[in-house]
Amino acid sequence: MSTMRRKEARFLARNNPVDFQVAGSAGDHLFDAAGKRYIDFLTGWCVGNLGWARPEIREAIRGFEGPDYVYPGFSYAPWVELAELLAKVTPGPVEKCFRATGGSEAVELALQAAMIHTGRRKLLSIEDSYHGNTLGVLSIGASEARDTIPNLLQNCHKLASPLDADALSRLETQLRHRDVAAFVMEPVIINLGVLIPEPEFMTGLQELCRRYGTLLVADEVATGFGRTGRLFASELFGLEPDIVCLSKAVTGGGAGLGAMVASAEVGESMEKKGSFYSTYGWHPLSTAVAIASVRYLVRDEKRLMEGVEATSGLFRQRLEGMRFPEPPELRIRGLAMGVDVHDPDYARRVRDRCREGGLILSAEDTTLLLLPRLEVDHAAALEGLEILEACL
Ligand SMILES: Cc1ncc(COP(=O)(O)O)c(C=O)c1O
């Protein structure tokens, strides 16, 4: 074991440790410490949507000349600029932005806002979903977290998949007592291996939430900023959420930032009664990077989204032609691509073999996850797919 590895094992906790030391990144590629090049179909899990070392983002970092820090109670013009930008691009009537450092904090703020606004205490989410790792959002994720963490939030209820028309009656049973503050979900559930809900479910969900006064919270932390072929996955279903949670690709990876964006009414309740001071939420440098990244996406939205759809078709076609031990279930929406191989050990083995062969992808339970950047170079896409095929 190298000295670095020994120190790492002793001093640094790692989540899902993978034996891969990153030394650099550019475009579609990561480079390890020995200079070996890898095609990146993970992009930091929906972070590097614009590709690594994107000039617009590097320039925002290098050229930054603002204050080191701004106290949250002060006024800062770029905060207003970013808030207006996010209000304009996010789906539905949401417009009031609350600053956060990342995704967990953004979803926490959403839970708080929903409880304050409705005066209700129950929360509803999708069983086994993931919305981050603070205690509040762990409470709305997989129920099995309760086995190891005994004091999660009470009154958190779960709706099990499949999310089809039949699930609506189960949903209504939960909502009809008018005591559920919020229903929280990723509109396309990337954390469940790209689970794509049926459109009937999403239409009914919106309708039932309105009917029973439950706020609809779209966690677009992973799906946001173009991943599913729309700027936001809510758009795929015509969803008009009361709250949208953002992070990850909002900065393209150049800095850390999160946001909870609420409708004017929900925002007002939260602003009056909520607790949302965030010391490093929207740090000036992160704000500059987010503005550059969102501007890039908005300016080129049409071209980028058409490109995502075309590339998605290419991936689908190639994946459909590959020979797996068992026919896989392909769950593809834009460049959120899940290949369910029905066996977690096999999925992990393929992932590890791919890495040895120069391709980075993720294995989540029984599903291989492919999340390349939005403008993935076609040659890199084809090379990555060839490596994958050779590793099956
Ligand atoms: C859908 C979703 N919500 C929230 C989070 C939490 O974000 P963060 O890791 O920035 O706290 C994640 C992280 O993977 C996520 O995928």
Side-chain angles (χ1 to χ4, degrees):
M1 209 197 249
S2 72
T3 312
M4 195 285 277
R5 280 293 153 85
R6 262 198 310 276
K7 288 186 179 176
E8 179 179 64
R10 178 161 177 208
F11 296 121
L12 184 69
R14 290 203 300 154
N15 201 33
N16 305 329
V18 173
D19 189 21
F20 176 55
Q21 192 185 341
V22 183
S25 58
D28 291 305
H29 298 108
L30 296 176
F31 300 90
D32 72 11
K36 182 175 166 183
R37 192 196 75 159
Y38 297 78
I39 293 167
D40 188 5
F41 281 179
L42 177 63
T43 57
W45 189 285
C46 306
V47 171
N49 287 13
L50 305 188
W52 305 123
R54 170 148 296 285
E56 286 81 354
I57 292 181
R58 287 280 162 112
E59 185 43 42
I61 297 168
R62 260 198 308 267
F64 179 70
E65 285 181 349
D68 285 348
Y69 179 75
V70 180
Y71 169 73
F74 292 164
S75 220
Y76 181 52
W79 282 348
V80 183
E81 186 181 345
L82 178 59
E84 186 180 9
L85 251 180
L86 294 179
K88 283 197 173 137
V89 297
T90 37
V94 301
E95 62 171 35
K96 189 62 155 273
C97 293
F98 291 78
R99 298 174 305 107
T101 49
S104 300
E105 195 183 344
V107 186
E108 282 284 340
L109 289 169
L111 302 185
Q112 194 195 146
M115 288 190 272
I116 288 174
H117 185 72
T118 60
R120 300 175 178 183
R121 66 178 63 180
K122 277 194 189 164
L123 299 166
L124 186 58
S125 53
I126 305 296
E127 183 57 282
D128 290 330
S129 58
Y130 181 76
H131 297 283
N133 56 19
T134 50
L135 291 181
V137 294
L138 277 172
S139 309
I140 61 162
S143 295
E144 70 178 20
R146 288 174 193 271
D147 300 342
T148 39
I149 311 169
N151 199 16
L152 293 182
L153 293 182
Q154 300 300 304
N155 299 304
C156 295
H157 300 260
K158 310 288 159 65
L159 187 74
S161 51
L163 304 178
D164 52 16
D166 291 343
L168 289 171
S169 57
R170 288 187 282 127
L171 176 65
E172 186 161 15
T173 307
Q174 302 259 23
L175 296 184
R176 73 166 159 241
H177 305 292
R178 297 180 188 272
D179 57 358
V180 179
F183 180 89
V184 187
M185 79 177 282
E186 287 187 272
V188 168
I189 310 177
I190 300 191
N191 283 283
L192 288 177
V194 191
L195 191 159
I196 305 165
E198 303 269 323
E200 294 92 318
F201 173 79
M202 296 303 263
T203 312
L205 166 69
Q206 174 87 71
E207 221 270 300
L208 289 172
C209 282
R210 283 203 181 126
R211 187 185 310 161
Y212 295 114
T214 294
L215 299 188
L216 183 53
V217 178
D219 179 349
E220 296 253 17
V221 166
T223 50
F225 303 102
R227 174 57 50 196
T228 65
R230 300 284 189 283
L231 218 42
F232 296 94
S234 297
E235 295 167 33
L236 294 166
F237 307 100
L239 224 56
E240 298 202 332
D242 302 288
I243 296 178
V244 178
C245 302
L246 307 171
S247 188
K248 294 200 188 260
V250 65
T251 61
L257 187 137
M260 186 275 278
V261 195
S263 66
E265 309 79 65
V266 175
E268 197 186 330
S269 307
M270 180 67 175
E271 208 173 4
K272 274 193 190 140
K273 299 186 196 153
S275 172
F276 52 91
Y277 184 98
S278 177
T279 298
Y280 279 113
W282 292 25
H283 182 276
L285 179 59
S286 306
T287 305
V289 176
I291 290 171
S293 157
V294 178
R295 281 212 183 292
Y296 178 84
L297 277 164
V298 173
R299 192 179 54 232
D300 283 351
E301 180 180 348
K302 189 163 180 298
R303 176 184 67 80
L304 287 169
M305 295 305 100
E306 282 170 4
V308 167
E309 293 296 2
T311 311
S312 177
L314 174 93
F315 270 85
R316 181 185 289 280
Q317 195 186 23
R318 278 292 275 117
L319 288 164
E320 277 172 353
M322 288 184 195
R323 303 219 1 221
F324 292 78
E326 245 190 275
E329 182 186 334
L330 297 183
R331 296 188 293 264
I332 297 177
R333 188 52 255 175
L335 290 176
M337 298 180 281
V339 182
D340 193 335
V341 295
H342 316 293
D343 175 355
D345 292 332
Y346 178 64
R348 273 194 299 275
R349 282 203 307 278
V350 171
R351 175 200 64 188
D352 292 345
R353 259 185 255 149
C354 282
R355 190 170 63 253
E356 280 158 28
L359 171 68
I360 302 293
L361 45 74
S362 178
E364 295 301 319
D365 194 25
T366 59
T367 301
L368 295 167
L369 264 186
L370 281 63
L371 305 161
R373 70 165 165 150
L374 307 187
E375 293 173 272
V376 56
D377 185 70
H378 274 211
L382 292 175
E383 192 186 332
L385 285 161
E386 253 164 50
I387 296 172
L388 172 61
E389 187 165 30
C391 294
L392 295 177

